Amino acid sequence: AGADGTAFFDAVSLALITVPTADRRQITIVLSDARDNASFFDESTLLDAARRTDAVVYTILPGDPLLARAVSVARLQALSLLTGGRLERTPEHAVGSAINKAIKEFRQSYVLRYTLTGVAVEGWHKLDVQVRPDGHYRIRTRLGYFAR
């Protein structure tokens, strides 16, 4: 890693370490191409941090949305999906609008709370939330939760 090193995994992993507050939701907005050439942590550590965080992660990939950037899209999409957020691909001139859209979506969302019964105390558990298909709701949830 030289002077132009990018520590994407380190920066986002550390941003996801949050102190849970029962009555306050948390958002993390990541604006990046998700390339990394200088991190101490690796991609699996980042995804583990995403599984454990209480924050909803919105990722924004700036640049030409038509460019094929499979690694960037896959990393940012995984990060968003794990936490119940969303990836937004946007031209560089529209980054501000993408940030505002993420904040607006987050503020208009609801939190579903539940009490665990009959599951193992520790480890990753897949989560599946469904509503009746009447067309009035758009469901986006975390892919699961990490029991502590």
Side-chain angles (χ1 to χ4, degrees):
D4 61 348
T6 300
F8 172 78
F9 300 140
D10 290 354
V12 179
S13 294
L14 293 173
L16 295 181
I17 298 172
T18 60
V19 176
T21 306
D23 55 348
R24 186 163 184 97
R25 299 180 307 134
Q26 298 172 341
I27 183 174
T28 300
I29 298 176
V30 176
L31 173 64
S32 177
D33 64 6
R35 294 184 190 151
D36 189 299
N37 62 1
S39 282
F40 174 78
F41 296 127
D42 60 12
E43 188 167 6
S44 65
T45 302
L46 169 61
L47 296 178
D48 190 49
R51 285 182 190 94
R52 295 170 186 265
T53 189
D54 286 333
V56 175
V57 179
Y58 285 84
T59 55
I60 299 172
L61 177 58
D64 185 348
L66 299 178
L67 285 178
R69 297 185 278 180
V71 171
S72 298
V73 170
R75 282 182 181 154
L76 295 173
Q77 185 73 24
L79 189 56
S80 294
L81 287 174
L82 277 171
T83 63
R86 187 178 52 77
L87 165 63
E88 178 82 19
R89 296 180 73 175
T90 187
E92 289 181 15
H93 71 274
V95 166
S97 295
I99 292 170
N100 287 334
K101 183 178 178 182
I103 293 169
K104 182 178 178 182
E105 275 186 24
F106 179 76
R107 293 182 73 203
Q108 292 177 345
S109 64
Y110 291 92
V111 175
L112 176 65
R113 298 198 191 273
Y114 50 91
T115 302
L116 304 176
T117 58
V119 294
V121 174
E122 293 184 15
W124 177 256
H125 301 278
K126 186 176 180 335
L127 182 62
D128 184 27
V129 177
Q130 299 177 10
V131 295
R132 294 182 184 171
D134 64 1
H136 293 357
Y137 300 100
R138 188 173 26 166
I139 301 298
R140 186 172 53 241
T141 65
R142 299 177 61 84
L143 291 182
Y145 62 92
F146 196 91
R148 302 171 194 161

